[in-house]
Amino acid sequence: MDFTYPPTVCFECNGCGLCCADTDHKLRHILMLESEAEEISAQTGKHIEEFAGESSGTQPYIYEMKKVQGDCVFLKDNKCIIYELRPLICRFYPFELKYDADKGTHVFTATPECPMIGQGKLLSKKDFETLYALAEERLPQS
Ligand code: SF4
């Protein structure tokens, strides 16, 4: 596992739902892998077209979650109703993983948009190893 991560970041999700909806400053793009959309469809009995639209130029993510009045279609009473099936992007928030070609390694960064960055427990390397392993498992190997 070759990645770097913010060594002294605290975070604990408080279920505020901010990351599941558009904000005044940000249009949310909840991108999904084909495998994730198929799994959600299989488990919910919904056709992919009922909850996702095709997304272009965002490979390997080929679907984008639909929204209702700015909220993810699966956000009900501020709760994710497919929590166990939620896509990688949702599991990663408020972190992002990008490949830094100059450094030749993957880099985790945190978005300051999330009000819970700096709150809660200090995250360990183990926490980021778990996310990295999930990305390795789901993302097509380049
Ligand atoms: S799938 Fe769930 S966690 Fe992801 S944006 Fe929708 S409601 Fe939020």
Side-chain angles (χ1 to χ4, degrees), residues 85-103:
L85 301 169
R86 68 198 189 288
L88 199 59
I89 279 185
C90 302
R91 294 169 190 268
F92 262 62
Y93 190 92
F95 301 102
E96 270 189 337
L97 182 64
K98 289 210 170 111
Y99 184 69
D100 184 326
D102 298 338
K103 293 186 182 150

PDB file of all heavy atoms in Angstrom, residues 85-103:
ATOM      1  N   LEU A  85     -25.047  -0.184   0.919  1.00  0.00           N
ATOM      2  CA  LEU A  85     -24.747  -0.324  -0.510  1.00  0.00           C
ATOM      3  C   LEU A  85     -24.124   0.943  -1.091  1.00  0.00           C
ATOM      4  O   LEU A  85     -23.845   1.002  -2.290  1.00  0.00           O
ATOM      5  CB  LEU A  85     -26.049  -0.592  -1.282  1.00  0.00           C
ATOM      6  CG  LEU A  85     -26.866  -1.812  -0.928  1.00  0.00           C
ATOM      7  CD1 LEU A  85     -28.230  -1.729  -1.611  1.00  0.00           C
ATOM      8  CD2 LEU A  85     -26.135  -3.075  -1.344  1.00  0.00           C
ATOM      9  N   ARG A  86     -23.908   1.943  -0.234  1.00  0.00           N
ATOM     10  CA  ARG A  86     -23.511   3.250  -0.758  1.00  0.00           C
ATOM     11  C   ARG A  86     -22.200   3.170  -1.549  1.00  0.00           C
ATOM     12  O   ARG A  86     -21.333   2.374  -1.231  1.00  0.00           O
ATOM     13  CB  ARG A  86     -23.406   4.280   0.375  1.00  0.00           C
ATOM     14  CG  ARG A  86     -22.293   4.066   1.351  1.00  0.00           C
ATOM     15  CD  ARG A  86     -22.525   4.852   2.637  1.00  0.00           C
ATOM     16  NE  ARG A  86     -21.377   4.835   3.522  1.00  0.00           N
ATOM     17  CZ  ARG A  86     -20.989   3.770   4.223  1.00  0.00           C
ATOM     18  NH1 ARG A  86     -21.619   2.609   4.097  1.00  0.00           N
ATOM     19  NH2 ARG A  86     -19.918   3.846   5.025  1.00  0.00           N
ATOM     20  N   PRO A  87     -22.070   3.989  -2.593  1.00  0.00           N
ATOM     21  CA  PRO A  87     -20.891   3.905  -3.456  1.00  0.00           C
ATOM     22  C   PRO A  87     -19.597   4.326  -2.747  1.00  0.00           C
ATOM     23  O   PRO A  87     -19.635   4.959  -1.692  1.00  0.00           O
ATOM     24  CB  PRO A  87     -21.204   4.891  -4.585  1.00  0.00           C
ATOM     25  CG  PRO A  87     -22.639   5.258  -4.441  1.00  0.00           C
ATOM     26  CD  PRO A  87     -23.056   4.962  -3.054  1.00  0.00           C
ATOM     27  N   LEU A  88     -18.500   4.001  -3.383  1.00  0.00           N
ATOM     28  CA  LEU A  88     -17.159   4.295  -2.862  1.00  0.00           C
ATOM     29  C   LEU A  88     -17.026   5.773  -2.500  1.00  0.00           C
ATOM     30  O   LEU A  88     -16.492   6.119  -1.443  1.00  0.00           O
ATOM     31  CB  LEU A  88     -16.134   3.936  -3.945  1.00  0.00           C
ATOM     32  CG  LEU A  88     -14.693   3.713  -3.557  1.00  0.00           C
ATOM     33  CD1 LEU A  88     -14.551   2.597  -2.538  1.00  0.00           C
ATOM     34  CD2 LEU A  88     -13.859   3.426  -4.793  1.00  0.00           C
ATOM     35  N   ILE A  89     -17.509   6.641  -3.373  1.00  0.00           N
ATOM     36  CA  ILE A  89     -17.364   8.092  -3.151  1.00  0.00           C
ATOM     37  C   ILE A  89     -18.027   8.514  -1.848  1.00  0.00           C
ATOM     38  O   ILE A  89     -17.514   9.378  -1.134  1.00  0.00           O
ATOM     39  CB  ILE A  89     -17.928   8.854  -4.371  1.00  0.00           C
ATOM     40  CG1 ILE A  89     -16.854   8.843  -5.454  1.00  0.00           C
ATOM     41  CG2 ILE A  89     -18.375  10.252  -4.018  1.00  0.00           C
ATOM     42  CD1 ILE A  89     -17.154   9.631  -6.678  1.00  0.00           C
ATOM     43  N   CYS A  90     -19.118   7.881  -1.507  1.00  0.00           N
ATOM     44  CA  CYS A  90     -19.805   8.192  -0.258  1.00  0.00           C
ATOM     45  C   CYS A  90     -19.012   7.649   0.938  1.00  0.00           C
ATOM     46  O   CYS A  90     -18.916   8.302   1.970  1.00  0.00           O
ATOM     47  CB  CYS A  90     -21.202   7.594  -0.262  1.00  0.00           C
ATOM     48  SG  CYS A  90     -22.238   8.146  -1.620  1.00  0.00           S
ATOM     49  N   ARG A  91     -18.417   6.474   0.768  1.00  0.00           N
ATOM     50  CA  ARG A  91     -17.647   5.854   1.859  1.00  0.00           C
ATOM     51  C   ARG A  91     -16.358   6.646   2.132  1.00  0.00           C
ATOM     52  O   ARG A  91     -15.837   6.643   3.240  1.00  0.00           O
ATOM     53  CB  ARG A  91     -17.303   4.409   1.499  1.00  0.00           C
ATOM     54  CG  ARG A  91     -18.523   3.525   1.412  1.00  0.00           C
ATOM     55  CD  ARG A  91     -18.173   2.168   0.791  1.00  0.00           C
ATOM     56  NE  ARG A  91     -19.399   1.426   0.498  1.00  0.00           N
ATOM     57  CZ  ARG A  91     -19.971   0.567   1.329  1.00  0.00           C
ATOM     58  NH1 ARG A  91     -19.423   0.331   2.502  1.00  0.00           N
ATOM     59  NH2 ARG A  91     -21.088  -0.058   0.998  1.00  0.00           N
ATOM     60  N   PHE A  92     -15.858   7.291   1.103  1.00  0.00           N
ATOM     61  CA  PHE A  92     -14.606   8.038   1.246  1.00  0.00           C
ATOM     62  C   PHE A  92     -14.812   9.422   1.861  1.00  0.00           C
ATOM     63  O   PHE A  92     -13.945   9.958   2.529  1.00  0.00           O
ATOM     64  CB  PHE A  92     -13.938   8.209  -0.132  1.00  0.00           C
ATOM     65  CG  PHE A  92     -12.865   7.198  -0.393  1.00  0.00           C
ATOM     66  CD1 PHE A  92     -13.145   5.849  -0.433  1.00  0.00           C
ATOM     67  CD2 PHE A  92     -11.552   7.612  -0.575  1.00  0.00           C
ATOM     68  CE1 PHE A  92     -12.128   4.919  -0.650  1.00  0.00           C
ATOM     69  CE2 PHE A  92     -10.540   6.687  -0.784  1.00  0.00           C
ATOM     70  CZ  PHE A  92     -10.832   5.352  -0.822  1.00  0.00           C
ATOM     71  N   TYR A  93     -15.950  10.026   1.581  1.00  0.00           N
ATOM     72  CA  TYR A  93     -16.179  11.415   2.031  1.00  0.00           C
ATOM     73  C   TYR A  93     -15.933  11.515   3.542  1.00  0.00           C
ATOM     74  O   TYR A  93     -16.347  10.636   4.287  1.00  0.00           O
ATOM     75  CB  TYR A  93     -17.604  11.862   1.692  1.00  0.00           C
ATOM     76  CG  TYR A  93     -17.785  13.343   1.929  1.00  0.00           C
ATOM     77  CD1 TYR A  93     -17.576  14.269   0.905  1.00  0.00           C
ATOM     78  CD2 TYR A  93     -18.110  13.819   3.202  1.00  0.00           C
ATOM     79  CE1 TYR A  93     -17.701  15.633   1.129  1.00  0.00           C
ATOM     80  CE2 TYR A  93     -18.230  15.178   3.420  1.00  0.00           C
ATOM     81  CZ  TYR A  93     -18.024  16.068   2.400  1.00  0.00           C
ATOM     82  OH  TYR A  93     -18.128  17.423   2.629  1.00  0.00           O
ATOM     83  N   PRO A  94     -15.223  12.554   4.028  1.00  0.00           N
ATOM     84  CA  PRO A  94     -14.763  13.751   3.347  1.00  0.00           C
ATOM     85  C   PRO A  94     -13.351  13.627   2.786  1.00  0.00           C
ATOM     86  O   PRO A  94     -12.676  14.633   2.592  1.00  0.00           O
ATOM     87  CB  PRO A  94     -14.782  14.778   4.481  1.00  0.00           C
ATOM     88  CG  PRO A  94     -14.426  13.979   5.706  1.00  0.00           C
ATOM     89  CD  PRO A  94     -15.043  12.624   5.490  1.00  0.00           C
ATOM     90  N   PHE A  95     -12.930  12.416   2.514  1.00  0.00           N
ATOM     91  CA  PHE A  95     -11.592  12.227   1.959  1.00  0.00           C
ATOM     92  C   PHE A  95     -11.654  11.901   0.480  1.00  0.00           C
ATOM     93  O   PHE A  95     -12.654  11.374  -0.026  1.00  0.00           O
ATOM     94  CB  PHE A  95     -10.858  11.116   2.725  1.00  0.00           C
ATOM     95  CG  PHE A  95     -10.737  11.437   4.178  1.00  0.00           C
ATOM     96  CD1 PHE A  95     -11.575  10.843   5.110  1.00  0.00           C
ATOM     97  CD2 PHE A  95      -9.817  12.379   4.613  1.00  0.00           C
ATOM     98  CE1 PHE A  95     -11.496  11.182   6.454  1.00  0.00           C
ATOM     99  CE2 PHE A  95      -9.725  12.718   5.949  1.00  0.00           C
ATOM    100  CZ  PHE A  95     -10.573  12.119   6.873  1.00  0.00           C
ATOM    101  N   GLU A  96     -10.576  12.254  -0.201  1.00  0.00           N
ATOM    102  CA  GLU A  96     -10.421  11.924  -1.621  1.00  0.00           C
ATOM    103  C   GLU A  96      -9.069  11.247  -1.778  1.00  0.00           C
ATOM    104  O   GLU A  96      -8.143  11.544  -1.018  1.00  0.00           O
ATOM    105  CB  GLU A  96     -10.408  13.195  -2.474  1.00  0.00           C
ATOM    106  CG  GLU A  96     -11.768  13.646  -2.946  1.00  0.00           C
ATOM    107  CD  GLU A  96     -11.639  14.779  -3.979  1.00  0.00           C
ATOM    108  OE1 GLU A  96     -10.585  15.442  -3.962  1.00  0.00           O
ATOM    109  OE2 GLU A  96     -12.567  14.963  -4.761  1.00  0.00           O
ATOM    110  N   LEU A  97      -8.961  10.366  -2.734  1.00  0.00           N
ATOM    111  CA  LEU A  97      -7.696   9.677  -3.013  1.00  0.00           C
ATOM    112  C   LEU A  97      -7.311   9.962  -4.462  1.00  0.00           C
ATOM    113  O   LEU A  97      -8.101   9.686  -5.364  1.00  0.00           O
ATOM    114  CB  LEU A  97      -7.855   8.167  -2.799  1.00  0.00           C
ATOM    115  CG  LEU A  97      -6.610   7.306  -3.003  1.00  0.00           C
ATOM    116  CD1 LEU A  97      -5.540   7.649  -1.980  1.00  0.00           C
ATOM    117  CD2 LEU A  97      -6.967   5.828  -2.913  1.00  0.00           C
ATOM    118  N   LYS A  98      -6.166  10.579  -4.638  1.00  0.00           N
ATOM    119  CA  LYS A  98      -5.715  10.887  -6.008  1.00  0.00           C
ATOM    120  C   LYS A  98      -4.291  10.365  -6.198  1.00  0.00           C
ATOM    121  O   LYS A  98      -3.527  10.268  -5.236  1.00  0.00           O
ATOM    122  CB  LYS A  98      -5.742  12.399  -6.246  1.00  0.00           C
ATOM    123  CG  LYS A  98      -7.172  12.954  -6.349  1.00  0.00           C
ATOM    124  CD  LYS A  98      -7.233  14.171  -7.265  1.00  0.00           C
ATOM    125  CE  LYS A  98      -8.700  14.529  -7.535  1.00  0.00           C
ATOM    126  NZ  LYS A  98      -9.077  15.798  -6.898  1.00  0.00           N
ATOM    127  N   TYR A  99      -3.949  10.034  -7.446  1.00  0.00           N
ATOM    128  CA  TYR A  99      -2.592   9.591  -7.737  1.00  0.00           C
ATOM    129  C   TYR A  99      -1.750  10.813  -8.096  1.00  0.00           C
ATOM    130  O   TYR A  99      -2.126  11.610  -8.955  1.00  0.00           O
ATOM    131  CB  TYR A  99      -2.547   8.593  -8.895  1.00  0.00           C
ATOM    132  CG  TYR A  99      -1.146   8.062  -9.144  1.00  0.00           C
ATOM    133  CD1 TYR A  99      -0.559   7.216  -8.217  1.00  0.00           C
ATOM    134  CD2 TYR A  99      -0.417   8.456 -10.252  1.00  0.00           C
ATOM    135  CE1 TYR A  99       0.748   6.755  -8.399  1.00  0.00           C
ATOM    136  CE2 TYR A  99       0.875   8.000 -10.458  1.00  0.00           C
ATOM    137  CZ  TYR A  99       1.451   7.158  -9.515  1.00  0.00           C
ATOM    138  OH  TYR A  99       2.736   6.723  -9.682  1.00  0.00           O
ATOM    139  N   ASP A 100      -0.631  10.978  -7.377  1.00  0.00           N
ATOM    140  CA  ASP A 100       0.280  12.091  -7.634  1.00  0.00           C
ATOM    141  C   ASP A 100       1.455  11.557  -8.439  1.00  0.00           C
ATOM    142  O   ASP A 100       2.345  10.910  -7.889  1.00  0.00           O
ATOM    143  CB  ASP A 100       0.769  12.688  -6.309  1.00  0.00           C
ATOM    144  CG  ASP A 100       1.656  13.908  -6.519  1.00  0.00           C
ATOM    145  OD1 ASP A 100       2.405  13.932  -7.531  1.00  0.00           O
ATOM    146  OD2 ASP A 100       1.614  14.832  -5.695  1.00  0.00           O
ATOM    147  N   ALA A 101       1.446  11.845  -9.758  1.00  0.00           N
ATOM    148  CA  ALA A 101       2.475  11.289 -10.645  1.00  0.00           C
ATOM    149  C   ALA A 101       3.863  11.807 -10.274  1.00  0.00           C
ATOM    150  O   ALA A 101       4.847  11.071 -10.335  1.00  0.00           O
ATOM    151  CB  ALA A 101       2.130  11.641 -12.087  1.00  0.00           C
ATOM    152  N   ASP A 102       3.939  13.051  -9.828  1.00  0.00           N
ATOM    153  CA  ASP A 102       5.249  13.609  -9.454  1.00  0.00           C
ATOM    154  C   ASP A 102       5.841  12.827  -8.288  1.00  0.00           C
ATOM    155  O   ASP A 102       7.020  12.475  -8.284  1.00  0.00           O
ATOM    156  CB  ASP A 102       5.129  15.089  -9.069  1.00  0.00           C
ATOM    157  CG  ASP A 102       4.636  15.929 -10.257  1.00  0.00           C
ATOM    158  OD1 ASP A 102       4.818  15.439 -11.399  1.00  0.00           O
ATOM    159  OD2 ASP A 102       4.041  16.998 -10.023  1.00  0.00           O
ATOM    160  N   LYS A 103       4.980  12.526  -7.313  1.00  0.00           N
ATOM    161  CA  LYS A 103       5.463  11.791  -6.133  1.00  0.00           C
ATOM    162  C   LYS A 103       5.453  10.277  -6.387  1.00  0.00           C
ATOM    163  O   LYS A 103       6.029   9.502  -5.633  1.00  0.00           O
ATOM    164  CB  LYS A 103       4.575  12.106  -4.925  1.00  0.00           C
ATOM    165  CG  LYS A 103       4.673  13.553  -4.440  1.00  0.00           C
ATOM    166  CD  LYS A 103       3.867  13.756  -3.153  1.00  0.00           C
ATOM    167  CE  LYS A 103       3.915  15.208  -2.699  1.00  0.00           C
ATOM    168  NZ  LYS A 103       2.675  15.575  -1.968  1.00  0.00           N
TER     169      LYS A 103
END
